[in-house]
């Protein structure tokens, strides 16, 4: 959410791609896009580790909910899918429903350094986003292949962070993380920028503009990560 829409020029550490512009104070409001957070999973302990687990049925319900918002007149430009997925729980039908409502589905390519698309990233109409580092080459962990449409920053990306062990919601955090889960929200933010620039653009229009107007990879890049690096300009 921070990568997509953290307010810019508000004396905070994080600026989102489509966060709008504030007045330079920490209390100023932004005029950027809005986030609809849909909870589709839980954190749970497995042995000594605490991990996140996503329900495909919950993800499908979230997609159908967003399609319902479109029917109610809300402008939903795109959703970010930074989570592993499978063709189960009604996810395929829900994704078809959302695409039919002209909402872009943008998904992370995965972090296994393999030519291994997930269900969503192999689905027609879904944008698959790989990761690059600050030198403009594919991240060592990024999945790759002809199914990836473009790449975006995914190494040492700073964004907003919720510390689940701190119950005080007035505290604010940032964190630096790696992963294609950092890359796909960059693309989702650009989809929101395009929507604000020209609301008459369809999801397919935005998809094609993004894929066909990328920046080149650095010459040292050896990974197949689509047409290039996401370029909002």
């Amino acid at each position: 959410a921070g990568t997509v829409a953290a307010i810019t020029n508000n004396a905070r550490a994080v600026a989102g791609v489509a966060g709008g512009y504030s007045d330079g104070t920490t209390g100023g409001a932004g005029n950027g896009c809005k986030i609809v957070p849909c909870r589709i999973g839980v954190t749970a302990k497995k042995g000594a580790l605490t991990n996140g687990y996503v329900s495909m049925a919950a993800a499908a319900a979230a997609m159908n909910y967003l399609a319902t918002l479109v029917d109610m007149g809300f402008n939903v430009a795109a959703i970010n899918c930074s989570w592993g997925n499978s063709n189960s729980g009604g996810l395929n039908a829900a994704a078809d429903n959302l695409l039919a409502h002209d909402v872009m589905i943008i998904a992370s390519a995965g972090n296994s350094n393999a030519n291994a698309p997930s269900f969503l990233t192999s689905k027609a109409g879904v944008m698959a986003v790989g990761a690059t580092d600050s030198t403009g080459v594919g991240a060592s962990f990024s999945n790759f292949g002809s199914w990836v449409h473009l790449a975006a920053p995914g190494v040492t990306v700073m964004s907003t962070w919720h510390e689940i062990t701190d119950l005080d919601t007035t505290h604010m955090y940032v964190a630096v993380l790696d992963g294609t889960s950092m890359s796909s929200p960059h693309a989702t933010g650009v989809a929101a920028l395009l929507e604000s620039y020209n609301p008459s653009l369809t999801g397919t229009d935005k998809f094609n503009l993004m894929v066909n107007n990328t920046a080149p990879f650095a010459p040292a890049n050896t990974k197949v990560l689509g047409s290039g690096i996401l370029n909002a300009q």
Side-chain angles (χ1 to χ4, degrees):
T3 300
V4 175
I7 299 170
T8 63
N9 192 42
N10 68 342
R12 299 291 186 186
V14 175
V17 175
Y21 198 72
S22 188
D23 61 3
T25 68
T26 56
N31 60 351
C33 71
K34 293 180 173 64
I35 296 291
V36 182
C38 296
R39 183 170 185 174
I40 60 173
V42 297
T43 55
K45 291 186 73 69
K46 184 177 182 181
L49 299 177
T50 299
N51 291 307
Y53 298 91
V54 172
S55 160
M56 294 305 103
M63 289 183 179
N64 288 326
Y65 168 71
L66 290 166
T68 300
L69 289 186
V70 174
D71 290 335
M72 295 170 62
F74 290 93
N75 182 3
V76 184
I79 66 167
N80 178 65
C81 301
S82 288
W83 34 272
N85 52 84
S86 62
N87 186 7
S88 59
L91 188 65
N92 186 49
D96 284 339
N97 183 34
L98 199 58
L99 291 169
H101 279 76
D102 200 34
V103 178
M104 291 184 70
I105 299 175
I106 301 176
S108 54
N111 306 323
S112 302
N113 188 30
N115 189 341
S118 66
F119 167 67
L120 281 178
T121 54
S122 65
K123 185 175 178 61
V126 174
M127 178 176 286
V129 184
T132 53
D133 65 19
S134 61
T135 70
V137 303
S140 61
F141 54 78
S142 181
N143 283 0
F144 55 87
S146 60
W147 48 274
V148 178
H149 295 99
L150 50 75
V155 178
T156 60
V157 173
M158 185 172 68
S159 190
T160 50
W161 173 264
H162 173 59
E163 179 52 61
I164 62 172
T165 62
D166 188 343
L167 300 180
D168 188 342
T169 58
T170 66
H171 291 170
M172 295 186 180
Y173 295 92
V174 296
V176 175
L177 297 175
D178 299 344
T180 57
S181 288
M182 283 74 249
S183 306
S184 59
H186 279 90
T188 308
V190 172
L193 286 180
L194 286 170
E195 185 72 20
S196 69
Y197 176 73
N198 183 357
S200 69
L201 294 171
T202 67
T204 300
D205 291 337
K206 293 191 284 287
F207 190 115
N208 291 334
L209 281 167
M210 292 164 69
V211 171
N212 294 329
N213 292 278
T214 52
F217 296 107
N221 179 60
T222 59
K223 284 195 169 184
V224 178
L225 291 173
S227 61
I229 302 172
L230 181 72
N231 183 356
Q233 186 179 18

